[in-house]
């Protein structure tokens, strides 16, 4: 993962996430924007390397902060080792055993600046969903930087949290429909399938096993002895 940084497609990152030998457990996904560089400043590898240099030489970190960077064209750049905690937000970084997966979207997404859309938005949403899927996390495990004790607007005032979580939920449903229903992902209890029967088991006076089945759509009760 570390430098030299690699530019990968969304499908390549998804494949890497599926087979990567994680030694730490991912508990959340943290989303940031770079602010600088913004869309107009983006220059491919040079921008990623400049961020890494700034993080190390100015901020004093030992590596680039993020695990992945999502470019304006929807391509994704590798970053910090996925088996190391990110430099996401003080007190929220976790450790070598467990913690967040952190990514940056290149751009300034405060209202009136860059627009979070198109290939970049699609790539970011799919990245979130694939990380969550790997660790059986709900879509609500996404956290914005501004929710992590930071006074910043990151990842930008132009990006709504609830709408982003809902969009990630849509990705889960599209990619893993059966598992999404079974696990009740993205949307809480209201999205879990409604059970058709309520079963209770007890013993009759003569010791026979009795199964009571109540149809939840009605009020009928059936007793089966064996």
């Amino acid at each position: 993962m570390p430098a030299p940084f690699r530019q990968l497609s969304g499908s390549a990152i998804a494949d890497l996430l599926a087979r990567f030998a994680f030694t730490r457990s991912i508990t959340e996904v943290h989303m940031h924007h770079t602010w600088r560089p913004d869309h107009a400043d983006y220059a491919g590898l040079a921008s990623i390397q400049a961020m890494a240099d700034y993080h190390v030489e100015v901020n004093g970190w030992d590596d680039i902060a993020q695990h992945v960077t999502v470019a304006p064209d929807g391509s994704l750049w590798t970053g910090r080792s996925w088996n190391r905690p990110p430099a996401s937000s003080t007190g929220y970084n976790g450790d070598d055993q467990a913690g967040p997966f952190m990514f940056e979207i290149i751009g300034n997404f405060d209202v009136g600046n860059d627009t979070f859309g198109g290939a970049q938005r699609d790539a970011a949403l799919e990245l979130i969903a694939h990380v969550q899927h790997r660790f059986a996390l709900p879509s609500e495990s996404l956290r914005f930087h501004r929710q992590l004790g930071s006074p910043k607007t990151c990842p930008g005032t132009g990006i709504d949290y609830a709408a982003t979580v809902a969009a990630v939920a849509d990705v889960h449903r599209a990619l893993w429909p059966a598992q999404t229903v079974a696990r009740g992902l993205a949307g809480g209890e209201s999205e879990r399938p409604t059970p058709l029967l309520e079963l209770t088991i007890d013993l009759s006076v003569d010791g026979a096993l009795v199964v009571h089945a109540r149809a939840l759509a009605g009020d009928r009760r059936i007793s089966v002895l064996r």
Side-chain angles (χ1 to χ4, degrees), residues 49-168:
Q49 188 61 61
M51 272 193 286
D53 292 344
Y54 186 89
H55 290 174
V56 173
E57 297 169 10
V58 178
N59 291 350
W61 302 332
D62 59 359
D63 199 353
I64 193 169
Q66 63 266 32
H67 294 119
V68 169
T69 305
V70 184
D73 62 3
S75 60
L76 300 101
W77 291 89
T78 59
R80 177 180 290 241
S81 169
W82 294 356
N83 279 326
R84 296 181 57 224
S88 179
S89 190
T90 302
Y92 296 87
N93 293 321
D95 54 31
D96 288 336
Q97 282 70 53
F101 186 99
M102 187 274 241
F103 72 97
E104 296 257 10
I105 46 174
I106 290 179
N108 173 5
F109 299 101
D110 285 332
V111 171
N113 295 282
D114 294 326
T115 299
F116 183 50
Q120 185 176 38
R121 180 177 181 273
D122 291 345
L125 296 177
E126 290 183 10
L127 172 65
I128 297 164
H130 278 287
V131 175
Q132 291 174 337
H133 180 72
R134 172 69 194 268
F135 289 90
L137 300 172
S139 54
E140 294 88 352
S141 65
L142 173 66
R143 297 287 181 269
F144 282 3
H145 186 197
R146 61 178 178 251
Q147 297 173 309
L148 306 174
S150 172
K152 296 182 178 180
T153 61
C154 184
T157 56
I159 303 179
D160 180 78
Y161 176 75
T164 304
V165 169
V168 172

Side-chain angles (χ1 to χ4, degrees), residues 214-221:
R214 182 169 68 88
L216 296 181
D219 216 9
R220 292 172 295 174
R221 181 179 290 272

Side-chain angles (χ1 to χ4, degrees), residues 35-47:
W35 192 74
R36 291 289 184 273
D38 61 11
H39 280 185
D41 298 328
Y42 175 64
L45 177 59
S47 294

